[in-house]
Amino acid sequence: MPFNIIVCIKQVPDVKTVRFDPKTGTLIRDGVGAVINPVDLNALEAGLGLKDAVGGEITAVSMGPPQAKEALMEAMAMGVDKGVLLSDRAFAGSDTLATTYILAKAIERLGAFDIVLCGKQSLDGDTAQVGPGLAARLGIPSVAYVEEMRLVEGGMFRLRRETDLGCDIVEIEPPFLATVLPSINKPRLPSLKGKIRAKKTGVIVWDADDIQVDPEKIGLNGSPTRVLSTYVKGFDAKGEMLSGTAEEQADALVKRLKDANLL
Ligand SMILES: Cc1cc2nc3c(=O)[nH]c(=O)nc-3n(C[C@H](O)[C@H](O)[C@H](O)COP(=O)(O)OP(=O)(O)OC[C@H]3O[C@@H](n4cnc5c(N)ncnc54)[C@H](O)[C@@H]3O)c2cc1C
């Protein structure tokens, strides 16, 4: 049974090159490369693996500046059929609430779908809210932290999700949204054939009018989140070496932890 799969990918600063200005509290973007959010590669692979097994179509969707087109080209070079970039100056400043609204409007425009896949969280915003928020906007169930996804009998999927206490096995029927963990698979590399196909096909670009969004629900207008300050987490506590026998050191350590109300 072929599936219509949508994978949401975000382009993020390449952490290998990104630096932070402690004085201004902002990212130094000069000379910083951009990459597909690493766990979104796993979301892409989960979709591609399913397509390999049973057929279907995969659309990668990304909201971002024009340069995010590169991320979609890479996804297409991996095997994705269609790349859709949601780009408009009016989207700038969107927090997760506005982002999920914009993504949901685009997915509605794409038409019927079976599965939406997202990464667990992004490297930069790091909230892990977009997947579940998007599912709520689309009115479909979501399963977060998925580390295994298998198609079982009757068109059902068996998902294993990691929890703090162990794991849950969830059986679910499409349509649903899953956010995946890096452990779910090993993403394939883009192929030369894929790169050529991506170049020929190109990326679809939609702006605010194309997806008919309410201007009050996007960008800063639609974003209740306000960043009051950002800073580099420093370690200003001094280390202390405890002396004496192992027993004396353990006693001293327990005392210090109790004094600090940590025990
Ligand atoms: C406190 C705070 C303030 C912010 N302020 C601003 C701001 O002023 N201006 C601004 O531009 N941004 C801002 N952002 C960033 C913006 O809110 C997020 O980047 C965006 O909403 C996605 O959230 P996230 O990065 O936490 O994604 P997460 O929820 O961590 O991402 C989970 C998954 O959702 C999908 N996903 C996430 N974002 C996208 C996307 N854009 N396109 C497609 N798929 C996606 C991916 O599959 C990803 O793996 C802010 C973020 C935070 C936490």
Side-chain angles (χ1 to χ4, degrees):
M1 176 198 289
F3 291 101
N4 202 347
I5 304 161
I6 291 167
V7 186
C8 296
I9 63 171
K10 182 180 183 188
Q11 198 183 45
V12 295
D14 185 353
V15 284
K16 287 192 221 96
T17 50
V18 77
R19 284 171 302 132
F20 199 78
D21 184 336
K23 283 199 191 109
T24 59
T26 56
L27 292 178
I28 302 168
R29 293 185 181 270
D30 289 349
V32 171
V35 294
I36 296 180
N37 182 45
V39 73
D40 297 356
L41 293 172
N42 299 93
L44 285 167
E45 180 59 44
L48 290 165
L50 187 58
K51 184 186 162 184
D52 290 347
V54 294
E57 191 181 77
I58 309 185
T59 306
V61 179
S62 188
M63 184 196 85
Q67 69 159 1
K69 207 182 259 189
E70 292 158 21
L72 290 160
M73 291 292 276
E74 187 179 333
M76 288 168 78
M78 286 170 73
V80 161
D81 300 283
K82 211 161 38 174
V84 179
L85 174 65
L86 311 170
S87 199
D88 194 307
R89 292 187 82 84
F91 298 158
S94 296
D95 66 3
T96 53
L97 193 70
T99 301
T100 55
Y101 173 67
I102 294 163
L103 290 173
K105 292 294 282 182
I107 291 172
E108 274 168 23
R109 174 160 178 195
L110 283 167
F113 64 88
D114 299 298
I115 301 168
V116 181
L117 296 168
C118 291
K120 172 190 75 151
Q121 67 199 114
S122 72
L123 264 190
D124 54 354
D126 199 26
T127 64
Q129 292 173 358
V130 169
L134 176 58
R137 296 266 193 204
L138 295 169
I140 56 171
S142 73
V143 185
Y145 307 125
V146 172
E147 54 180 8
E148 191 181 291
M149 181 170 89
R150 280 198 299 133
L151 178 61
V152 290
E153 58 286 339
M156 298 283 284
F157 280 80
R158 189 169 299 151
L159 310 181
R160 196 177 71 219
R161 65 181 293 265
E162 194 184 87
T163 70
D164 286 344
L165 300 174
C167 69
D168 292 336
I169 308 286
V170 179
E171 282 205 352
I172 193 164
E173 190 183 2
F176 65 86
L177 181 148
T179 74
V180 308
L181 295 176
S183 52
I184 192 170
N185 54 38
K186 189 167 181 284
R188 69 193 65 187
L189 293 171
S191 68
L192 181 61
K193 206 171 128 199
K195 281 182 189 171
I196 295 168
R197 197 181 54 82
K199 213 164 184 188
K200 267 196 206 145
T201 316
V203 166
I204 299 164
V205 183
W206 285 344
D207 63 15
D209 288 341
D210 291 320
I211 52 173
Q212 297 189 355
V213 285
D214 176 347
E216 289 304 312
K217 292 186 178 172
I218 59 171
L220 285 173
N221 284 345
S223 299
T225 313
R226 290 286 171 268
V227 183
L228 299 181
S229 75
T230 47
Y231 58 92
V232 180
K233 218 169 160 184
F235 298 96
D236 48 8
K238 291 191 184 74
E240 182 188 348
M241 294 296 288
L242 300 172
S243 55
T245 63
E247 216 167 70
E248 286 164 349
Q249 288 179 40
D251 286 345
L253 177 61
V254 169
K255 183 174 180 313
R256 282 196 184 36
L257 291 174
K258 278 188 176 156
D259 289 348
N261 286 329
L262 293 170
L263 271 185

